[in-house]
Amino acid sequence: MATRRTTSTPYRCTECGWTALKWVGRCGECQQWGTVVEAAEQTGINRSVTAVSPSHDRAARPITAIDTRDAPRRTTGVGEFDRVLGGGIVPGAAILLSGEPGVGKSTLLLEVAAQSARAGRRVLYASAEESTAQVRLRAERTGALHDELFIAAETDLATILGHVDEVRPELLIVDSVQTVSSSLSEGMAGHPSQVREVASTLIRIAKERGLPVIIVGHVTKDGSIAGPRILEHLVDVVCQFEGDRQTSLRFVRALKNRFGPTDEVGCFDMTGAGIAEVPDPSALFLGHGIPEPGTCVAIALEGRRAMPVEVQALTIASSAPNPRRIVNGVDAARVAMVLAVLEKRADIKTSNLDVYVSTVGGVRFTEPAADLAIAIAVAGSVRDESTPKQLAAIGELSLAGEVRPVTQAAQRRSEAARLGYTDLIDNRSLTVRGALEHVRMRSKGTPGEDVPEF
């Protein structure tokens, strides 16, 4: 039986019932010590849980006796999306896809819906932000028309569940959870209580029927998923769709995945005819292949995918007291540190030069593995020396001028060799001065012609 404190006489003697407004060590009536305690009264609310025997099919079983063959993965027909999900969609999985407005979430999911429909699986696309005519127009533009793809423009959760009962889909897409409301919760659509109720109901339906559900979630100004954080805890997979609006490149990353790894990345190219997969994005981040001073190729790591990124640097003499440092696609703080290390440890003077550093293709390369490539590109621009076409560099620079190893070095070397980069400058050069000397010697000759190998 729940209790609550009284407001008139907050203290009472347990022996004689004497009350007081403030606590005293001894009762004023029976003179007993230690019997005065906080008073409480019954509220009449009885909160208890009665045990319920589970049915035979829901009884607890040894984990070794559970058969997973009843829940095989289903491919979405979009290979890059399957890569992020761990090989496909698991029946009954609840997937949350977030991203900034206009990045292409609806276009990607419409392509996933169309490919699933072409594979013979019925799909229900519940659009709460667009009309059915608007979705049809986009489907015509992207070639996503199919008879097994059903479209419903609804903002009421109960009506969406009614469509599920009538259509009986094998995949449900709700776009988006912040625009759907439930009559069982107060507040407008998008309110935390509404988002929680809508998401909980959709996830419950997914688990009960083995129906995979993909939910679109909005993001806030700082890029986090809008709504209560419980939304991320409830779903099985959280994917983030990101990309720079100035470029057509898009990435899908798995921030949480109960059925697969969280270090996979899917690459897409947003075109006028829809969204296209980029299974090998290497060519997107490289220049024309003509050796020019101030360029160097580094091997970046996006999740578990290694890909080459060309780093370009341009230095111009400046008479200003504070030369300019303009960067694009790399970390400005790390560029400033690399310039300081070059000037102190390798005698590459940049304090009187405007320095511009950028990546090709609009990709962001902010990991420490870019340090050595930035240093080689800047040194090549200062010395007006080009790097060989078959040379790549990976390595982190310390303030002491040392070249340190980076994570997944073996995978980066393997990808460099696959793409034809036979000369790889890395931590085997020991110092940045040694790395620059190796680059200069390779520019003058070829391996095997008086050029020292590691």
Side-chain angles (χ1 to χ4, degrees), residues 14 113 133 151 169 191 203 233 270 281 297 299 303 331 385 417 423 429 439:
T14 57
I151 305 295
H191 191 273
I203 294 172
H233 294 285
M270 187 66 70
V297 174
I299 307 299
D331 188 1
E385 297 176 352
D423 293 335
S429 296
V439 173

Side-chain angles (χ1 to χ4, degrees), residues 139-322:
E140 288 180 350
R141 176 173 57 85
T142 60
L145 297 177
H146 198 277
D147 291 338
E148 288 297 312
L149 174 56
F150 289 75
I151 305 295
E154 298 290 349
T155 59
D156 180 64
L157 178 62
T159 307
I160 293 177
L161 298 182
H163 285 298
V164 172
D165 292 335
E166 293 181 0
V167 176
R168 297 187 178 276
E170 297 181 61
L171 174 63
L172 173 62
I173 299 175
V174 179
D175 186 7
S176 67
V177 68
Q178 276 85 8
T179 54
V180 178
S181 60
S182 172
S183 59
L184 299 179
S185 180
E186 298 181 355
M188 300 177 59
H191 191 273
S193 61
Q194 283 283 357
V195 173
R196 185 183 299 109
E197 177 65 27
V198 172
S200 300
T201 303
L202 292 174
I203 294 172
R204 177 175 55 84
I205 295 297
K207 303 304 180 185
E208 290 178 353
R209 305 188 182 188
L211 172 65
V213 178
I214 302 179
I215 305 171
V216 177
H218 292 170
V219 296
T220 59
K221 293 181 179 179
D222 60 355
S224 59
I225 301 175
R229 290 301 300 269
I230 193 175
L231 187 62
E232 300 177 52
H233 294 285
L234 288 175
V235 298
D236 301 309
V237 183
V238 178
C239 294
Q240 182 176 355
F241 196 38
E242 60 186 32
D244 190 351
R245 292 190 180 184
Q246 306 301 323
T247 65
S248 61
L249 186 65
R250 300 289 187 270
F251 290 108
V252 177
R253 307 175 189 272
L255 305 182
K256 169 188 175 181
N257 193 350
R258 290 173 177 167
F259 313 118
T262 57
D263 54 0
E264 286 287 6
V265 177
C267 296
F268 297 89
D269 186 24
M270 187 66 70
T271 64
I275 193 166
E277 299 179 63
V278 185
D280 190 2
S282 302
L284 296 176
F285 313 127
L286 297 176
H288 298 293
I290 302 175
E292 291 287 344
T295 63
C296 183
V297 174
I299 307 299
L301 202 65
E302 285 287 349
R304 290 193 295 179
R305 170 177 289 180
M307 50 191 172
V309 176
E310 184 173 313
V311 179
Q312 298 181 339
L314 178 65
T315 57
I316 302 176
S318 174
S319 59
N322 296 316

